[in-house]
Amino acid sequence: MNLLKIQQKHAHAERTWNATATSDICLSVTLLREAARTVMTPFLLPELQSELGLSAQQVTQIRQLKQEMLTKEKDFSSQVAAKRKELDALLAPGASKGEQVKKLFEQIANLRAQQLYTGYETTTKMKAALTDAQRTKLAAMKPHEFHQAMMSRMT
């Protein structure tokens, strides 16, 4: 194979890798944005009454869902804190217990996943309380509009 063909194959492979890497990064950024939006929706949606035209009944229902979520998350946080305390004891000098450490890391990760899922589940329930038109308005909010609305309520 001559040098020109090798260089062409190398250039093609590099372009393919770059395109794949760029695509993966874009997908990751998009997923992170959506995950962040899903996590923040339970906190922001009750405050979007005027933007979405929420009725008083909808606001009450959405706030109740938010409160239920916060109660669950407080419980998860307490469980995580207890697991971290156990983990700290196992990580102390002279207390090498590899399998127990691994098990605690897995339990903490599971609790955090449950906590995130609770936010997702709450977002889904809140969206179900909206009308089709309100869901469309919410979905149409650009990331910067969502962020701006969130920041304006943090006073």
Side-chain angles (χ1 to χ4, degrees), residues 40-91:
M40 292 309 301
T41 296
F43 297 97
L44 183 58
L45 193 57
E47 309 307 321
L48 293 176
Q49 183 173 5
S50 60
E51 288 88 345
L52 298 177
L54 301 176
S55 69
Q57 181 183 4
Q58 285 176 308
V59 172
T60 300
Q61 182 181 4
I62 288 169
R63 284 193 174 137
Q64 178 61 37
L65 289 167
K66 177 184 172 183
Q67 191 55 49
E68 289 170 10
M69 179 196 72
L70 291 173
T71 300
K72 287 179 184 177
E73 286 190 355
K74 185 176 179 182
D75 181 51
F76 288 132
S77 293
S78 295
Q79 290 180 53
V80 167
K83 297 291 180 191
R84 282 185 174 212
K85 193 173 184 177
E86 283 181 60
L87 187 59
D88 286 345
L90 289 174
L91 295 174

Side-chain angles (χ1 to χ4, degrees), residues 21 23 28 39 139:
S23 175
S28 295
V39 169

Side-chain angles (χ1 to χ4, degrees), residues 124-152:
T124 302
K125 289 176 183 177
M126 286 179 168
K127 286 180 180 178
L130 302 177
T131 65
D132 288 339
Q134 291 166 334
R135 276 192 292 276
T136 300
K137 271 187 188 177
L138 180 64
M141 287 180 78
K142 304 271 188 263
H144 73 275
E145 294 170 328
F146 199 78
H147 180 73
Q148 184 177 15
M150 179 179 64
M151 297 308 288
S152 70

Side-chain angles (χ1 to χ4, degrees), residues 78-136:
S78 295
Q79 290 180 53
V80 167
K83 297 291 180 191
R84 282 185 174 212
K85 193 173 184 177
E86 283 181 60
L87 187 59
D88 286 345
L90 289 174
L91 295 174
S96 180
K97 310 250 192 285
E99 276 303 308
Q100 289 175 306
V101 169
K102 180 182 176 195
K103 184 177 177 182
L104 282 169
F105 277 136
E106 289 169 347
Q107 290 171 350
I108 291 169
N110 187 28
L111 287 166
R112 287 192 177 144
Q114 288 177 44
Q115 200 169 16
L116 287 172
Y117 181 74
T118 298
Y120 166 80
E121 187 177 49
T122 301
T123 296
T124 302
K125 289 176 183 177
M126 286 179 168
K127 286 180 180 178
L130 302 177
T131 65
D132 288 339
Q134 291 166 334
R135 276 192 292 276
T136 300

